[in-house]
Amino acid sequence: MSQQLTTEQLLHAAEKFGTPLYVYHIEKITEQYQQLTQAFSNSDVKIFYACKALTNINILKHFHSLGSNIDCSSINEVKLALHAGFPSNRILYTSNGIAFNEIEEAQQLGIHINIDSLSNLEKFGKKFGHSYPVGIRLRPNILAGGNLKISTGHDKSKFGIPTDQINQVISLIAKYDLHIQGLHIHTGSEIKDADVFVKGIEVLFDLIPHFTELKFIDLGGGFKVPYKTGDDATDIVLLAQKVKEAFDAHPVAKDLQIWFEPGKYLVSECGYFITQVNVIKETSATTFVGINSGFNHLIRPMFYDAYHRIKNISNSYGIEKKYSVVGNICETDTFAWERKLNEVREEDYLVFYNAGAYGFEMSSNFNSRFKPAEVMFAKDDFFLIRRRDEFSDLLNHQIEV
Ligand code: LLP
């Protein structure tokens, strides 16, 4: 049974903690993690939670307790992972465009590192030679993903070392006796089609003969979850089957570990963002519902044209009408245009679904507004896991001269 919080539970959280409020359902994370590990249980697969999606320390600790590994995109995420209790051998740092001193720091911490540029690979070779095994992030030149902004593997993408530069990689390996233990790609986010992963595998398999010390192939993250009712998700069971077939059929790859770094798949659906209606404004174009939030709290609709399901939990049986849900920021911050909602009144609570991944994590204090509070629902109870900002937080790091 899929884990979901009920309208009553969400209303209770809104009353108890105020809004705007992020709520995370911990058992839903467990369910997603278990679905993934079960689907891949016949292969030598390691799951690394891509924690850029949601880094609240309680969420990280939960992944630790599940036995998950963790993928980080900055040295600070690495430090948060250590703080949450992950041992260094369960932490991966897949960097892009970073200063070499972060890679040095990661090396000192003893974690797995994927390097994404020839420049940093050369510096790494010069400094560490064969002594520290490392992975390389390659750019497979495959265009896939929910939209261009979240597509990372195509031939104009900044991410990874383009596979057409493989000869330069080989020269660096020879020059510095580099110990390459893994090949990595991350093609994009919201990839529904399992065949895109198979295509990526084929690109990497062509390169395997150049590497004699491989331990893993890392296929990144990017599994799609349903955002709309009736939306398709990546068929994880089919994906697991196709990946297994491909690896089993390859003379070298059959003995390699397969790594994945999902973010959205693990935490998108656990999250609910509860807001409250400030004003209703009737115009000739549309009826605006102005809520106590904006792209400072949930930027995905404005940044990626992302669709988030919205429900009026204060009036679940009200007659349906069309509304345009907008924020209170001095920018055009439209969450939804002409969306059917149960009749909306001022002070009603509107909840956004799929708010766990890249929701709070991409929030800001724009317009000097407070970041929302975060709450976790676990063992039938709500726990505050980040207090709402208060005025002193806005001045906290400023220096008055
Ligand atoms: N691994 C690497 C190297 C990545 O760059 C990413 C995401 C992931 C794993 C996890 O991807 P996921 O499974 O979450 O799709 N903020 C955007 C998504 C950008 C993802 C960036 N990299 C959004 O809200 O749609």
Side-chain angles (χ1 to χ4, degrees), residues 50 52-53 71 94 137 150 152 159 184 186 188-190 220-223 261-265 300 304 357-358 362:
K52 75 200 77 180
D71 171 53
T94 302
R137 177 172 187 174
I150 54 176
T152 48
F159 296 97
H184 169 281
H186 171 74
S189 200
E190 293 178 33
F223 308 147
E261 307 160 353
K264 262 179 206 170
Y265 182 84
R300 301 194 70 258
Y304 311 115
Y358 310 106
M362 292 176 81

Side-chain angles (χ1 to χ4, degrees), residues 85-108:
F86 284 90
S88 51
N89 65 357
R90 277 168 57 192
I91 305 176
L92 170 64
Y93 183 11
T94 302
S95 60
N96 91 84
I98 61 164
F100 185 63
N101 62 12
E102 272 196 32
I103 296 183
E104 287 177 302
E105 215 178 329
Q107 187 274 344
Q108 271 161 23

Side-chain angles (χ1 to χ4, degrees), residues 127 132 190 243:
K127 178 124 195 207
Y132 198 87
E190 293 178 33
V243 167

Side-chain angles (χ1 to χ4, degrees), residues 259-295:
W259 291 11
F260 282 108
E261 307 160 353
K264 262 179 206 170
Y265 182 84
L266 293 170
V267 297
S268 175
E269 290 161 280
C270 83
Y272 303 77
F273 180 47
I274 314 176
T275 63
Q276 201 165 5
V277 178
N278 285 339
V279 287
I280 296 190
K281 190 186 279 184
E282 307 270 0
T283 73
S284 55
T286 188
T287 302
F288 289 106
V289 170
I291 58 175
N292 61 350
S293 183
F295 72 42

